[in-house]
Every structure is written in structure tokens, then in C-alpha cells.
Amino acid sequence: MPVPRRRPDVPPPLGVTVHNGAADVSVLAAHADLVELCLFDEDGTERRVPLSRRAYGVWWDVVADVRPGQRYGFRVHGPWAPQDGQRHNPAKLLLDPYAGAIDGTVTWGPEVFGHVVDDSWVGDGETRDDRDSASFVPRSVVVDHSRFDWTGDLVSATPWTGSVVYEAHVRGLTMRHPGLPEEIRGTYAALGHPVILEHLTGLGVTTLELLPIHAFTHEPHLVRNGLTNYWGYNTMGFFAPHAGYAAACDPQGVVDEVKGAVKALHGAGIEVVLDVVYNHTCEQGSRDGATLSWRGLDNATYYRLDERGHDIDVTGCGNTVDLRQPLVAKMVLDSLRHWVTEFHIDGFRFDLAPALARGRDDAYDPDHAFHVALRTDPVLSRVMLIAEPWDVGVHGWRTGQFPPPFAEWNDRFRDTVRTFWLPDTARALAGETGHGARELATRFAGSADLYQADDRGPIASVNFVTAHDGFTLADTTAYERKHNEANLEGNRDGHGDNRSWNHGVEGPTDDPAILAARRRSARNLMATTLLATGVPMITAGDELGRTQGGNNNAYCQDNEISWLDWEAADADLLATVTRLLELRRAHPALRPPEFQTFDAVPGRVRLRWFDTEGQVLSEQQWTDPGLRTLVAVLDDRAVAEAAGAQPDFVMIVLSGALDAVTVRLPDADVERPWQVEWDSSWETPQGPTEVGDEVRVEAHSVVVLATPQFS
């Protein structure tokens, strides 16, 4: 089928497209009077080329002698009318929103602000600053994506039911690994090194979810405090990889290094998902932030503004990208396709996802044009799409309300599981009543109350108890209060609702009983996450017992607080997590694509809940806030029979009781004997043990039983 030819009076694709030694240059600047392309020679000399053509708010031209490696930027002339949202300032060199690479960093000072600021970089946002910013800002770079050899890059897409997500930071994962050469620690290259691949595959991970690798910069207040933005949720370029994570020094080398890492991960059978931040940019608020790209190009188009020209901020980061504007939504869609087609990325986790789909009335709209585009795009609709289903705007909590094929981070799972195993146990020890176990059962069974609509199924639930944001797994068992003093914000930052329990002592202790109790709680949390119906997610380092010293908001800690300490790894915990994932892989009953049923239904996994006497739980028991022990029996014989496979039977006991309990095994129509496959009271995994009609469950424990053929 022939490729449609572009009409000469229609703008070319946005960005810089090189062909035959020249380039189509195209940029959105709908309210500008003039746009100049600024080309920089190797010695930094700037040459300005006015773009001569304009249509539909896009300025473009064909520019000679532009090749890969060219450094460039834009200067935009137009009205300075802050009350109308117009903040054009030709003194400020601007990055191309479509730049494939970015060379250099922001040197923070008054010169990078479009408006006049004082020595503390504060101003009223009204008076234009006419100092030239070119010496203080990075350059856009033209890159060649055709030169990388993708030959042999084949990765079989893992079904959602078989996916295990591992959330990691490029530097945090690799900075302290003793098996990595020093020169590649903390880089993309390290992600593809055999020692990292062996850890991930040995653990049983199928999907590596990376914290943002889009080019980003650091917030001014962090720079003034001598800190940096470690997490990277401060995007400076949606098409360019962050150069600070590369061993390579030149922009083209950075791009190729990212591709090499993805190819190596694919070669090990691991998919790559990127955490992407399209809801806001690094320019912060128009009255207090810098002018680096979008603000100087077309502030009123790229950002959501009120009638006074002020930012509508539903992100907590000063601005909100306005995806109600078609060409802004196109920029995001183009960026996503860019990462799939050019970098072979397998999916995305959308930071503050409701902000991307707020309509004209500012309410979240599941049928927003952006969602429709994602769901119907032939490329993007086939990759993993994961929403962080909340933002900080009005009615920003939207868990369970995203349309298919989105999966979602399930914060209800996190809060319920933590509450059951940690603060509710502390309450029970104090003689107080907790929340019971009814909601725990709902979350463990896949959260049908949230995800049953629209045939989404349990695979829409990404189950987690920790993420980059908040306490680590070890810290949930060792701290009840945040300890964020190192962030230099007076310990005011970070969440106060941690659903944690320190087991009697805040922070480090030498008490062996407390340490043992903490380790068991960590195993309980991990087992509940990895055995629950849905898609489990592990935060990097939790399998090693990583601590951040009680810092639950380490976004600015690019140091040992955040980096994994591989040499201090808890070998028993690592063996435990590996064993739990082995059990998950071995038992189809733990990985149903549809919600289970209580009665036997053809083609569906059956799930029944029993008490410690082996009787089906009554409604009265379900509503008892003192209910602390659940016995789940899953069998997939209805599925197995249809497939001609061996039926699978699994029993899981979740006991938050303060004392050991004897569980009478229920009559589940299972002809084969049960055996204990795993017990959280074990410090390290042991071999299967056959049991009779009952099993002893230690206090505060999870026990997994199965029939021998799947052991």
C-alpha cells in the first residue's frame, strides 16, 4: 500500500526530520509572531534561521545543512501578556519538545526565568526578563535512530496473568552492585549486564518497570539546598533519554545505550515498562518557574490556565499539561509511539494519570479523547498500559475507574494488606479492635468490587504493598513515623498515613525477638502480594531487605539512602521471594484471567473461604471485626478439564491471630493429600511436608498448601 504523500501546504511532522542533508523543522507555537531556529556550531556559535511557513498554529520550514549531531533550539517572538497566558520571550533559548536527545544541563540562575526574579529566584511573574539564557540551558540534538542494529530483538509478550513487575531506578538498582564494572554502575549499560539479568531472571521477574528515564532537570529549591531530583519526575524532554544515566558521553551514544539495555533485557525474556510523566513538566508554575521550552513556545496552549492566565495545578508540581488541546495530546501520543517503535519499549506506567484525562469541566473523563486514542491506536493499544489512578486535583482518586485495557496501581490493596498485617496486629496486641479480614479477602481475590466492570478482570489490578514513593518493605515493619530530615524540608514532606508498625521500637534495634517478628511481617506482606489474584509488583530491593532509614519520600536522595546495598542483602528473604514466585508460576489457580466463583462454573477457577474449623465462613463471621484468620481454597478443575490438563488445588491460610491456631482442613473434594509448600514462620524455605486432617498455623503467619503434583 503506498504511503500517502504530504501536501506541501500542510506542516510536516513536528520536530526535526532529516533527509538528504536538509531537514524539515516543525514546532507548535500557535500564538507566536515569529519563530527562529537557532543552530549551534561546535564552538557554540549561534546561527538563527527564521521559519517562514505557518499553518494551524505550527511553524515550519526546510532548512539546509542539518544532519544528525546538530545542536539547536528555538527563539520565539510574540506577545508578553501574562494575564492572557502569553509569555513569549525571544531572549530565552527553548528546547524542542520533540528533541530526540538533549545535550547539557540547566545552570540555575535568574537568566533561565522568563520573568524578572531576585537573587533567591523569586518574582511576581509579571515583568519580562531580557537577559539571554543560551549560556545557561541545554541544547536539543538531532539523532539518527536508523543506525542501531535491532537484529535478533525478540521478546515474547508475557500474559498479564503471568506478569511479575519489578519497579526499579536505573541508578538505585546498579550503583552499588559489586559485580558491575565501576565505569557502568548507575547507567543504562548496567541494566543489560549479566549480573543484573541473572538477578531478575533468578527471582522470577518478567517485567522491569523503570522510574522516569525521560530527560529531566532538578527543581530550583533542590539546587539551592545542594540536592538533586533523584526520582526524575520533572520532565524536560518527552522524546529524549536522560543523559545522566548513561555511560556514553555523546547524545547519540546515550540513545544507543538505552536501546542496547532494552535489547539485552529482551534477550533475557524481560519486558521493559517506562514510568512516564506527561501530566506536568519541569517548568513548574508560570509565576515561579523557568522558561525552558513549552512555556516560551506557547504557554496558553501547552498548559491548563485559568481566566487570569494562572496555572491550574492538579499535579502538585506547579503546572498541568493540557491534553484537551489536540496537538498537545498528539505530542504525548507521538512520544509514546516513539518509545515503542524506536526503543522497543513494552509498556508504560502513567504518573498521576487522571490529570491526563480531565475534560473541559476539569473532571476526570474515562472517555476523554486521550483515552480513546490510546485504546484505538494500533501500536499503543497493544502494549502494557498501567495507570497511577490518582492526582491531587478535586475528585482525583479514581482507582477502579480507568477504561480497559488499562491496568491500575491498586492502592486499596496496599492499604488493606498493610493494615491487616501491621497496625491491626498492633491494635490486637493492645486489646483494641481492628478492621477484620473481609476487605483483605476482597483484595486477595482480585478486587472485583473495583475491576469487574467492562470485563476488566483481576488482571487490571497491579497489587503492591510498597513502591518508590513511601516506606520500603523493611521500613514498614520498623518505623511508624516518617524520618525525612535529610530532605531538608523540616520533615514536612512525605505521607503521614503509612499503615506501618515498628513492632515496639522505632527504627534499628538489636532485640532478636523484635527483629524476628519484623522479618515474619515482611514475609507475610510479600506472600500476600505475590500469591493474590492480579498482577504483583515488587519494589527493587524489598527482596533484599533494603531500608531507607525511615525516609518515605527519598525523591531527592541520590545516595546510599536510595541505592540498593547488595552486600547487605538478606539471603533468606531473597530465597523466600524466589520460592513464592516459583509457587505462583507453578499453580494456575493463583493466576486466573477472570474473577473466581464460589460455585463450580465451567471455565472458571473456584474460590471458597473457610474458617479454622473447616466450615464455609458465614455472613456473621465475615462482619466480625475480630476475624483474623482466613482459609482460602482455590481449584481450577473446571478450567483444567476443558483444557485436558491436570487440575490444580491450592489452600492458603492468612492468619493474623496473636497465637498459633489449628486449622481443620476443609472438605474441598480433593482426593489427593495436602502438603505444606511454604510457611511464613520459616526463616528460609523448606521442603514440602505432607499433613493429615489439620495443620498448625503459627501466630501471625501465612501457610500455603497444595496437592503433590504441582509441588
Side-chain angles (χ1 to χ4, degrees):
M1 182 176 179
V3 177
R5 298 178 64 184
R6 182 176 67 84
R7 296 183 180 278
D9 51 355
V10 173
L14 291 164
V16 176
T17 306
V18 175
H19 50 83
N20 300 322
D24 287 327
V25 179
S26 179
V27 64
L28 173 63
H31 297 89
D33 297 328
L34 172 66
V35 175
E36 295 174 304
L37 172 68
C38 305
L39 300 172
F40 292 88
D41 297 337
E42 290 186 7
D43 62 2
T45 301
E46 178 182 348
R47 176 169 64 95
R48 301 184 187 182
V49 180
L51 301 183
S52 65
R53 309 204 65 184
R54 175 181 182 177
Y56 318 138
V58 175
W59 293 76
W60 85 94
D61 215 331
V62 177
V63 181
D65 299 323
V66 175
R67 295 175 175 81
Q70 176 69 60
R71 273 64 168 172
Y72 71 100
F74 294 108
R75 294 184 186 270
V76 178
H77 302 255
W80 176 267
Q83 71 281 2
D84 297 323
Q86 306 298 332
R87 293 181 172 274
H88 302 98
N89 186 341
K92 309 305 170 182
L93 182 70
L94 307 175
L95 288 167
D96 179 3
Y98 278 70
I102 293 175
D103 184 27
T105 59
V106 178
T107 301
W108 285 97
E111 294 83 359
V112 303
F113 293 82
H115 57 279
V116 173
V117 298
D118 58 23
D119 291 341
S120 59
W121 308 340
V122 174
D124 61 11
E126 299 299 320
T127 305
R128 195 175 80 171
D129 182 279
D130 292 327
R131 285 174 288 189
D132 196 302
S133 70
S135 299
F136 303 87
V137 296
R139 310 286 188 257
S140 305
V141 184
V142 180
V143 297
D144 179 5
H145 283 289
S146 66
R147 62 177 253 174
F148 186 82
D149 183 7
W150 282 107
T151 302
D153 181 58
L154 295 173
V155 61
S156 298
T158 303
W160 277 105
T161 52
S163 295
V164 177
V165 179
Y166 187 86
E167 189 203 30
H169 187 286
V170 174
R171 283 174 63 77
L173 180 64
T174 64
M175 275 297 291
R176 302 180 71 184
H177 199 298
L180 288 170
E182 272 194 54
E183 62 270 18
I184 67 167
R185 292 181 186 179
T187 71
Y188 303 115
L191 296 177
H193 192 278
V195 297
I196 299 298
L197 300 178
E198 288 165 10
H199 177 75
L200 297 177
T201 56
L203 190 61
V205 167
T206 69
T207 306
L208 177 62
E209 180 180 305
L210 292 173
L211 267 68
I213 67 167
H214 285 174
F216 66 88
T217 188
H218 312 293
E219 294 90 337
H221 82 274
L222 293 178
V223 175
R224 297 186 72 86
N225 284 335
L227 298 170
T228 60
N229 187 312
Y230 169 67
W231 286 349
Y233 292 89
N234 202 43
T235 308
M236 188 167 62
F238 295 126
F239 293 76
H242 185 63
Y245 294 162
C249 297
D250 66 290
Q252 182 70 54
V254 173
V255 169
D256 293 343
E257 186 176 325
V258 175
K259 295 179 179 182
V262 173
K263 186 175 180 180
L265 286 158
H266 284 175
I270 297 171
E271 296 180 286
V272 181
V273 168
L274 299 185
D275 194 335
V276 287
V277 188
Y278 295 111
N279 57 80
H280 73 280
T281 76
C282 66
E283 292 185 309
Q284 299 186 295
S286 57
R287 290 179 293 169
D288 56 7
T291 296
L292 301 172
S293 179
W294 306 272
R295 175 163 296 131
L297 287 165
D298 195 347
N299 185 60
T301 296
Y302 282 109
Y303 297 121
R304 297 178 71 101
L305 306 177
D306 63 21
E307 65 280 358
R308 300 169 298 169
H310 296 168
D311 289 276
I312 297 173
D313 179 12
V314 300
T315 68
C317 300
N319 64 60
T320 304
V321 176
D322 193 354
L323 270 74
R324 299 171 303 177
Q325 300 287 344
L327 288 184
V328 178
K330 182 181 186 301
M331 174 187 70
V332 175
L333 294 165
D334 286 346
S335 170
L336 293 167
R337 279 188 292 265
H338 172 78
W339 288 94
V340 174
T341 58
E342 299 294 355
F343 290 86
H344 292 201
I345 294 301
D346 303 289
F348 304 94
R349 179 267 190 188
F350 294 87
D351 178 65
L352 302 181
L356 304 176
R358 286 182 175 267
R360 295 292 171 186
D361 59 358
D362 208 39
Y364 171 72
D365 179 7
D367 295 320
H368 190 282
F370 178 65
H371 282 347
V372 173
L374 279 177
R375 298 173 71 181
T376 58
D377 186 279
V379 173
L380 301 178
S381 64
R382 309 305 300 172
V383 302
M384 299 178 78
L385 302 175
I386 303 171
E388 181 185 41
W390 53 82
D391 64 20
V392 301
V394 177
H395 305 301
W397 185 80
R398 295 290 172 175
T399 303
Q401 299 175 43
F402 276 70
F406 274 101
E408 300 175 22
W409 274 22
N410 189 348
D411 57 314
R412 288 278 294 274
F413 181 96
R414 174 199 63 200
D415 293 347
T416 300
V417 172
R418 281 199 192 185
T419 297
F420 180 84
W421 289 116
L422 298 171
D424 269 6
T425 302
R427 292 185 184 99
L429 286 168
E432 302 172 4
T433 301
H435 294 80
R438 184 169 191 152
E439 187 170 1
L440 177 69
T442 300
R443 302 298 148 232
F444 190 81
S447 297
D449 59 330
L450 297 174
Y451 303 113
Q452 200 158 26
D454 299 322
D455 282 338
R456 297 183 71 191
I459 58 175
S461 178
V462 176
N463 298 329
F464 69 106
V465 289
T466 67
H468 66 275
D469 188 1
F471 281 152
T472 67
L473 181 70
D475 286 355
T476 65
T477 72
Y479 296 91
E480 294 183 8
R481 302 183 303 277
K482 60 185 179 181
H483 296 266
N484 299 352
E485 290 79 10
N487 299 351
L488 305 181
E489 298 179 35
N491 206 32
R492 295 183 300 273
D493 62 301
H495 210 296
D497 182 15
N498 294 297
R499 312 288 176 103
S500 59
W501 175 38
N502 63 20
H503 293 73
V505 174
E506 185 75 0
T509 180
D510 295 327
D511 188 315
I514 291 177
L515 292 173
R518 287 177 176 178
R519 290 194 298 271
R520 185 177 299 190
S521 288
R523 293 192 293 271
N524 291 337
L525 290 164
M526 189 64 81
T528 309
T529 303
L530 300 185
L531 300 177
T533 299
V535 180
M537 184 180 82
I538 303 169
T539 304
D542 277 354
E543 77 279 17
L544 308 177
R546 182 176 77 93
T547 178
Q548 291 182 167
N551 191 322
N552 75 350
N553 189 37
Y555 78 103
C556 55
Q557 300 300 324
D558 189 3
N559 50 47
E560 287 81 0
I561 291 175
S562 299
W563 303 338
L564 275 65
D565 185 353
W566 292 88
E567 294 184 324
D570 183 335
D572 289 337
L573 182 57
L574 177 60
T576 290
V577 175
T578 302
R579 175 58 178 153
L580 287 168
L581 287 176
E582 286 175 353
L583 289 171
R584 184 177 183 87
R585 289 193 301 275
H587 291 285
L590 296 174
R591 300 180 276 107
E594 300 178 90
F595 289 108
Q596 312 95 331
T597 58
F598 179 81
D599 297 314
V601 174
R604 301 282 287 275
V605 170
R606 189 179 187 189
L607 167 62
R608 287 165 290 171
W609 295 96
F610 298 88
D611 62 17
T612 57
E613 298 301 317
Q615 301 299 311
V616 172
L617 280 165
S618 67
E619 182 61 27
Q620 182 178 0
Q621 288 173 304
W622 275 121
T623 57
D624 181 1
L627 179 65
R628 296 287 292 162
T629 302
L630 295 171
V631 180
V633 176
L634 301 102
D635 78 71
D636 78 337
R637 77 186 84 191
V639 179
E641 288 172 0
Q646 189 82 345
D648 181 25
F649 303 93
V650 181
M651 186 183 306
I652 300 173
V653 183
L654 305 163
S655 182
L658 299 181
D659 299 305
V661 296
T662 298
V663 174
R664 183 171 182 80
L665 302 188
D667 179 8
D669 303 322
V670 179
E671 297 178 359
R672 302 167 187 81
W674 290 100
Q675 58 188 24
V676 174
E677 298 283 350
W678 182 81
D679 188 327
S680 70
S681 68
W682 300 341
E683 285 284 348
T684 194
Q686 302 176 19
T689 304
E690 190 171 312
V691 297
D693 295 332
E694 57 186 33
V695 62
R696 176 183 171 85
V697 178
E698 299 297 333
H700 202 57
S701 293
V702 177
V703 176
V704 182
L705 302 95
T707 52
Q709 76 273 15
F710 276 96
S711 63

